[in-house]
Amino acid sequence: MDHGQVTNLGAIYLPMNPPERLPEVARIADRAGLEQLWLWEDCFLNSGIAAASAALACTERLRVGIGLMPAPFRNVALAAMEIATLHRLFGDRPIAGIGHGVQEWMAQVGARAESPMTLLREYTTALRSLLHGEEVTTDGRYVHLDAVKLDWPPSSPPSLLIGATGPKTLQLAGELADGTILTAGTSPEGVRTAVTNIRPDARHDVVVFMMVETGPGAAERLAAQQEKSGGWGVAGDAAAIAEGVESIAAAGATTVVLQPTESNTPPPGEFVRFVAEEVRPLVG
């Protein structure tokens, strides 16, 4: 796998922003030429599928990622139906990411699994088969399907990504998924370690969320966010952020998605335009 060259650059629309503002931000991103806009399905802010559908419907070329949908939260057949519907409606522009979910949130909704790894393995295996148009019968520890087959599978099997942090989940992503999502705050060294665990082949996408801040007071806002959530990030102008992107790419990322802090400075529309028009031209 040839590392060091970012093939995609994106930005995140944080779910702390009102859902009704998303279509405007998506249109700005589309017009500015941003390659990818990513959304989260954090509890209990907004639905990843509904938000992605809205963003896709009001844009023409923008790819929209959901990073990520918690496997315990959604029946696998329903997840397959929703992902397949997005792909039937919008071609290859949707990007689906799944993962364990935040265990505290999963406990709040009565969905916490005793063995998250077992669930994710069963879930990913069944979901991939369903999205390939296969009939699935399985009776696992968590996933139970009896002759389930999508009537409207995607016209071609879509990529499926897994969000991962620990070594076992990273290895699972490398084994079963088409790509891996690494959370914001992952340093270049952390990316290198993750890639060693994933052992990706030439077709495996390594997506890294990268925490950034720009504009007056950027360093202070980034420091405040790091104090709250920890992790690595970059504050500064487009050149400084592009340098950070390239360091993440050199460590093994194929897609870098810039994540603003929760300060919303600059506002989401200005942020996606900044990524597309100022940072992207500086990234090799």
Side-chain angles (χ1 to χ4, degrees):
M1 188 173 187
D2 183 18
H3 300 309
Q5 181 73 23
V6 171
T7 57
N8 299 292
L9 187 68
I12 292 173
Y13 180 82
L14 294 176
M16 297 77 181
N17 294 300
E20 59 269 23
R21 294 183 60 189
L22 173 60
E24 175 193 2
V25 175
R27 285 190 288 266
I28 292 171
D30 202 39
R31 289 193 297 265
L34 186 68
E35 291 140 86
Q36 298 183 5
L37 184 67
W38 281 73
L39 311 171
W40 297 349
E41 192 168 71
D42 278 8
C43 298
F44 299 96
L45 292 162
N46 57 247
S47 157
I49 292 289
S53 187
L56 289 160
C58 67
T59 56
E60 296 181 359
R61 50 162 300 284
L62 183 70
R63 300 197 72 197
V64 178
I66 306 172
L68 46 79
M69 292 176 281
F73 206 46
R74 292 175 173 274
N75 180 280
V76 69
L78 176 61
M81 290 165 60
E82 292 188 317
I83 294 168
T85 300
L86 283 181
H87 281 274
R88 298 287 299 211
L89 288 169
F90 304 110
D92 67 352
R93 293 201 291 134
I95 307 168
I98 61 172
H100 296 303
V102 176
Q103 295 307 297
E104 180 181 352
W105 293 339
M106 298 303 99
Q108 278 185 271
V109 298
R112 183 168 184 166
E114 184 178 339
S115 176
M117 284 297 302
T118 301
L119 169 58
L120 191 59
R121 175 175 289 280
E122 292 179 0
Y123 194 99
T124 304
T125 301
L127 183 56
R128 285 184 63 89
S129 295
L130 289 168
L131 292 173
H132 279 70
E134 301 170 12
E135 181 178 286
V136 180
T137 295
T138 184
D139 188 23
R141 180 174 177 182
Y142 296 104
V143 176
H144 309 277
L145 299 174
D146 182 10
V148 174
K149 186 175 188 294
L150 297 180
D151 287 295
W152 294 105
S155 54
S156 59
S159 295
L160 184 64
L161 280 63
I162 287 179
T165 53
K168 290 183 179 179
T169 310
L170 290 164
Q171 290 165 12
L172 180 69
E175 177 188 349
L176 296 181
D178 302 293
T180 303
I181 303 168
L182 303 181
T183 187
T186 306
S187 66
E189 183 55 39
V191 174
R192 279 188 284 271
T193 300
V195 168
T196 299
N197 282 292
I198 299 165
R199 293 184 299 226
D201 62 23
R203 297 173 300 279
H204 195 96
D205 194 12
V206 179
V207 179
V208 181
F209 294 167
M210 175 178 153
M211 189 162 51
V212 302
E213 260 294 356
T214 190
E220 291 77 11
R221 290 193 301 275
L222 179 63
Q225 185 69 48
Q226 289 173 316
E227 185 175 352
K228 177 181 177 180
S229 58
W232 183 85
V234 176
D237 60 10
I241 291 172
E243 185 176 344
V245 169
E246 292 186 339
S247 70
I248 291 290
T254 56
T255 297
V256 179
V257 185
L258 302 187
Q259 176 180 322
T261 70
E262 296 174 21
S263 69
N264 271 337
T265 305
E270 293 181 23
F271 181 75
V272 298
R273 188 181 290 114
F274 166 76
V275 175
E277 296 180 353
E278 298 188 41
V279 179
R280 175 78 254 194
L282 301 178
V283 176

